[in-house]
Amino acid sequence: MEPHEPDLTAVPVTAVLAALADEVRLQIVRALAEGGETACGTLDFGVSKATRSHHLRVLREAGLTRTRAAGTSRYVRLRRDELEKIYPGLLDAVLTPRPPA
Amino acid sequence: MEPHEPDLTAVPVTAVLAALADEVRLQIVRALAEGGETACGTLDFGVSKATRSHHLRVLREAGLTRTRAAGTSRYVRLRRDELEKIYPGLLDAVLTPRPPA
DNA sequence: GAGCTTGTTCGACATTTGTCGAACAACGGT
DNA sequence: ACCGTTGTTCGACAAATGTCGAACAAGCTC
């Protein structure tokens, strides 16, 4: 089945925000922003495989990531350009490790 | 009791995003962004008083709004400047009615 | 083909969240 | 002092959400 990667314009803003409003998913997004395309297995943040898979699906269905299958692995990457186009500044606002107080 | 309006730097990003990741609260934020300081009662989006009060508290405790009491009313306003300082671009990215596809 | 690796899916479960009505509190006007 | 207006708080409840282990699926290697 297709990985269900929606058109970003078809995803409600609230869904995008909700996808980012989780500590684990934010860590994933930060890792992807820094490391580019990454194998799922590399994204280990202290949760089980099942939970990680769940979070990756949420991100994917919110239009934040794309997934490419290769062998037994799956490679995930951020849809930065599209995101920047539709929600300019969003990622930067959220990704900066510690915003200047 | 004080309305519990936290220092924005003390609120985790996920809490800010979660506060924005709700349709009703987004409508409230949009109304505040457009209309400036607004009486609670004016913010009617088809939910009960109790629910509206709940949403306003979530926004306040996420550091997004400030509340001022006057008579029997309470006036709410967006903390735009602080928000812009700590999460530059966030509000704009979220507030624009329909971003250009 | 057997076995290992890599992920997804399937319940199950506890927690959180959005919603409401009702009760309560504070203030203003008559 | 009463009453109406404006909001908050208190359960209660249903729905959504994050988490896990176990089972399953798909691919690679020996």
Side-chain angles (χ1 to χ4, degrees):
Chain A
M1 63 219 66
E2 314 79 45
H4 192 200
E5 290 172 355
D7 184 350
L8 210 25
T9 61
V11 179
V13 191
T14 47
V16 176
L17 293 170
L20 292 170
D22 177 275
E23 202 51 61
V24 175
R25 288 196 293 267
L26 248 197
Q27 288 183 273
I28 294 179
V29 169
R30 288 203 189 99
L32 293 178
E34 200 173 325
E37 195 179 52
T38 307
C40 293
T42 311
L43 303 163
D44 190 352
F45 296 105
V47 293
S48 71
K49 287 189 305 175
T51 301
R52 177 187 53 196
S53 207
H54 163 69
H55 286 310
L56 288 173
R57 180 172 48 191
V58 173
L59 289 172
R60 179 173 9 100
E61 293 184 351
L64 291 170
T65 60
R66 288 199 189 279
T67 304
R68 177 177 63 91
T72 76
S73 294
R74 275 156 184 276
Y75 291 87
V76 189
R77 65 181 187 282
L78 258 187
R79 296 169 67 174
R80 300 206 69 158
D81 295 351
E82 299 172 72
L83 244 345
E84 194 59 30
K85 196 170 181 179
I86 302 189
Y87 301 112
L90 212 205
L91 268 188
D92 289 339
V94 153
L95 252 36
T96 47
R98 260 299 99 195
Chain B
M1 62 222 64
E2 314 81 44
H4 191 201
E5 290 172 357
D7 185 348
L8 210 26
T9 61
V11 179
V13 190
T14 47
V16 176
L17 293 170
L20 293 170
D22 178 275
E23 202 52 60
V24 176
R25 288 195 294 266
L26 248 197
Q27 287 183 273
I28 295 178
V29 169
R30 288 202 189 99
L32 293 178
E34 199 173 327
E37 195 179 52
T38 307
C40 293
T42 311
L43 302 164
D44 190 351
F45 297 106
V47 294
S48 71
K49 287 190 304 175
T51 301
R52 177 187 54 196
S53 208
H54 161 69
H55 286 310
L56 288 173
R57 180 173 47 192
V58 172
L59 289 173
R60 180 175 8 102
E61 293 184 351
L64 291 170
T65 59
R66 286 198 189 279
T67 303
R68 177 177 64 90
T72 78
S73 295
R74 275 157 185 275
Y75 291 87
V76 189
R77 64 182 187 282
L78 258 186
R79 296 169 67 174
R80 300 205 70 158
D81 294 351
E82 299 172 72
L83 245 344
E84 194 59 30
K85 195 169 180 178
I86 302 190
Y87 301 112
L90 211 205
L91 269 188
D92 289 339
V94 153
L95 253 36
T96 48
R98 260 301 97 194

